[in-house]
Amino acid sequence: MSLSKRELEKQEEYRAIAREILLEMAIIRTCHCGAITYETYNLEKGQIYGSVTNYVKKKYPENYDYKMLHKFIDLELKEAHSENDCAYCSNLN
């Protein structure tokens, strides 16, 4: 396996871990249809990074690249909407 392919797989794995834990900790939520995520937190980013990092240390001790983890936490938080404004869910009601 080439180095670049392994790096892409590692990035995908860390993004999935970041998203999973943010959802488990209710820092973000998904809409009913799962199309978007939205914010549900009142914490500062430093507190979020610390909480998620501690959770990863316990649940995924083999994933210790915390710089990459923080990169994907930040990305997930940036992509989260400020409220549940999913157009698909709105059309269902």
Side-chain angles (χ1 to χ4, degrees):
M1 178 181 312
S2 71
L3 184 61
S4 60
K5 184 174 180 182
R6 174 62 190 133
E7 185 64 23
L8 287 174
E9 288 175 350
K10 182 179 174 183
Q11 288 179 5
E12 289 174 6
E13 179 181 10
Y14 274 83
R15 181 156 190 185
I17 289 170
R19 182 179 178 90
E20 172 191 336
I21 293 173
L22 288 169
L23 287 166
E24 282 182 23
M25 296 179 77
I27 295 171
I28 62 172
R29 294 204 186 268
T30 59
C31 63
H32 292 291
C33 72
I36 66 164
T37 58
Y38 59 97
E39 305 169 355
T40 59
Y41 60 91
N42 292 325
L43 302 172
E44 294 182 20
K45 281 193 178 180
Q47 293 172 310
I48 293 171
Y49 294 143
S51 297
V52 173
T53 300
N54 287 335
Y55 196 92
V56 168
K57 285 179 182 179
K58 292 176 186 170
K59 190 169 181 179
Y60 301 101
E62 68 279 3
N63 296 93
Y64 52 84
D65 188 344
Y66 303 119
K67 185 175 181 178
M68 185 178 293
L69 177 67
H70 292 176
K71 172 184 163 186
F72 288 112
I73 291 169
D74 193 44
L75 184 62
E76 289 293 330
L77 294 176
K78 283 181 182 177
E79 290 181 353
H81 296 261
S82 59
E83 58 185 54
N84 184 1
D85 57 355
C86 176
Y88 300 117
C89 290
S90 297
N91 288 335
L92 294 175
N93 296 329

